[in-house]
Amino acid sequence: MEQDTSLRPERILDLSERLSSVAGAKIGEIARVNRAAKMLSINALIVAARAGEAGKGFAIVAEEFKKISTEIDAVAAALESQVRADLDELSAIGGAILGHMRGQRLADLALNAIEIVDRNLYERTCDVRWWATDSAVVACLADADPAASRYASERLGVILNAYTVYLDLWICDAKGRVVANGRPGKYPGVVGQSVADAKWFRDGMRTATGDDFVACDIEKARALGDAPVATYATAIREGGQAKGKILGVLGVHFDWRPQAQAVVDGVRLTPEERSRSRVMLLDQKGRVLASSDNQGVLTEVFPLDVSSGAMGSYADGDITVGYALTPGYETYAGLGWYGCLVQRRQNPGVTVAAA
């Protein structure tokens, strides 16, 4: 979308600097012309004095002209002082307005990014609750039969072929042993391992009804090649009923890296803005979950200042930071994550014509 550069907020400062330059130049020109006029009046007084009685009338005119020149000097000095003060104030106001607009825009973009994540993860909570009621998944634990486990694995494979955002789906018995997964060929060591100590399993076993679910922070899954995953879980219940007896837990492992990278890379920035911006998703402790520069993911803790509330912006040296707390979506309340944009100041003289 084309953007009229004359309507950019930065034009406020551009115009202020131009006015300051023009005013200074013109006032200097007035002073130069007035100095020349003063020299002429002085020369006229000298000539009048040499002319004696005949030059008295001319001397009076020259003297008056000298007084006018002095008044012009005073007016020019006052004009320069007032104009300079007004232009400085205009620059300060323009800078404050521009800083607020920039910060608000970054905060809005941060909110949009985290909202996209929320909507995506809300769908994951729907998936896990739905698939836990699948007859093949329930039968896998109810029958405790190898054939039922193989069929459940095949069924999970069909689901994975349709829902490509998952790395794997695991069916775990009540003791935390994985009895079937959707990609045994790709992850052959999953079946038989114990996840009894995993938070998602323990919390899944404690869900009150089939309407409840567990959402966990991003962690690397060793059994899935150390890939970062967002794991969602719920109890598998007898007969697939919402209040049926708990037989085990279904855990679904969302393939976090490509999905999150698409979100941070998809934030609408101009090419020039992107070159001086960093888009991040942060957890509740500031840990970097995704970053547009691919740096510090799951290792860096960004010192985000959230004193402005759930959404805001602030300046820190030559950078502006905009952020927004997860608002959640439908039944997914979020995990206290933030969308965050960090943007360096634009280099002087750089203009952006397209977005």
Side-chain angles (χ1 to χ4, degrees):
M1 181 174 62
E2 293 299 321
Q3 180 181 7
D4 186 349
T5 57
S6 67
L7 300 179
R8 292 184 302 109
E10 288 83 358
R11 286 285 290 169
I12 297 174
L13 297 183
D14 292 343
L15 290 173
S16 177
E17 291 176 1
R18 184 184 299 178
L19 285 172
S20 179
S21 177
V22 169
K26 295 305 179 184
I27 291 173
E29 190 174 338
I30 291 172
R32 181 183 61 78
V33 172
N34 200 40
R35 283 195 300 272
K38 277 186 179 180
M39 290 302 299
L40 287 174
S41 67
I42 291 171
N43 289 336
L45 287 172
I46 293 172
V47 171
R50 288 176 179 174
E53 190 67 27
K56 283 185 177 180
F58 190 66
I60 293 172
V61 174
E63 190 64 41
E64 289 299 318
F65 195 78
K66 182 180 178 182
K67 290 180 181 178
I68 292 172
S69 293
T70 302
E71 291 176 1
I72 291 174
D73 276 341
V75 170
L79 177 63
E80 180 176 21
S81 176
Q82 185 61 52
V83 167
R84 184 66 59 193
D86 289 348
L87 286 174
D88 288 346
E89 184 178 358
L90 178 61
S91 294
I93 294 173
I97 292 173
L98 183 59
H100 174 74
M101 292 178 65
R102 180 185 294 118
Q104 185 61 53
R105 177 169 180 267
L106 295 182
D108 288 341
L109 291 172
L111 177 60
N112 180 253
I114 197 64
E115 281 185 328
I116 292 173
V117 172
D118 283 348
R119 289 171 183 250
N120 198 325
L121 298 185
Y122 163 71
E123 293 178 6
R124 312 289 69 87
T125 70
C126 296
D127 292 344
V128 70
R129 286 177 287 178
W130 171 29
W131 296 335
T133 66
D134 186 281
S135 59
V137 172
V138 174
C140 176
L141 296 180
D143 297 347
D145 179 68
S149 296
R150 285 194 298 273
Y151 180 67
S153 179
E154 292 173 4
R155 174 62 182 160
L156 296 181
V158 171
I159 293 173
L160 286 170
N161 287 337
Y163 290 80
T164 57
V165 296
Y166 292 100
L167 286 176
D168 206 2
L169 312 179
W170 296 357
I171 299 174
C172 313
D173 65 19
K175 294 182 180 180
R177 184 175 64 91
V178 181
V179 298
N181 71 319
R183 288 184 171 140
K186 187 173 183 179
Y187 305 113
V190 169
V191 172
Q193 74 167 279
S194 174
V195 294
D197 292 332
K199 186 177 185 302
W200 59 266
F201 173 79
R202 297 197 310 270
D203 291 349
M205 287 292 293
R206 288 195 288 265
T207 51
T209 74
D211 295 327
D212 300 319
F213 61 88
V214 175
C216 294
D217 276 321
I218 308 304
E219 298 291 348
K220 289 185 177 181
R222 181 177 298 178
L224 301 176
D226 272 339
V229 296
T231 298
Y232 290 79
T234 193
I236 300 170
R237 297 173 181 272
E238 194 171 58
Q241 299 299 309
K243 294 185 178 181
K245 176 185 175 182
I246 294 178
L247 302 176
V249 171
L250 175 66
V252 301
H253 302 292
F254 180 65
D255 191 4
W256 173 252
R257 182 183 286 116
Q259 319 308 325
Q261 198 63 44
V263 172
V264 295
D265 289 344
V267 171
R268 293 197 63 184
L269 296 170
T270 66
E272 188 278 330
E273 285 179 312
R274 193 170 296 281
S275 69
R276 55 189 176 88
S277 302
R278 185 186 188 193
V279 184
M280 294 178 287
L281 299 175
L282 309 174
D283 70 10
Q284 67 273 24
K285 296 181 180 178
R287 184 178 59 141
V288 177
L289 301 177
S291 178
S292 57
D293 62 3
N294 287 297
Q295 300 299 309
V297 177
L298 300 185
T299 59
E300 176 187 352
V301 175
F302 182 80
L304 184 65
D305 179 359
V306 297
S307 57
S308 296
M311 181 178 176
S313 64
Y314 58 91
D316 184 7
D318 66 345
I319 65 172
T320 300
V321 180
Y323 70 89
L325 174 66
T326 170
Y329 185 74
E330 297 289 347
T331 56
Y332 177 68
L335 297 173
W337 294 357
Y338 289 87
C340 178
L341 274 81
V342 179
Q343 190 173 89
R344 299 189 309 277
R345 288 180 184 171
Q346 186 176 2
N347 292 329
V350 176
T351 58
V352 183

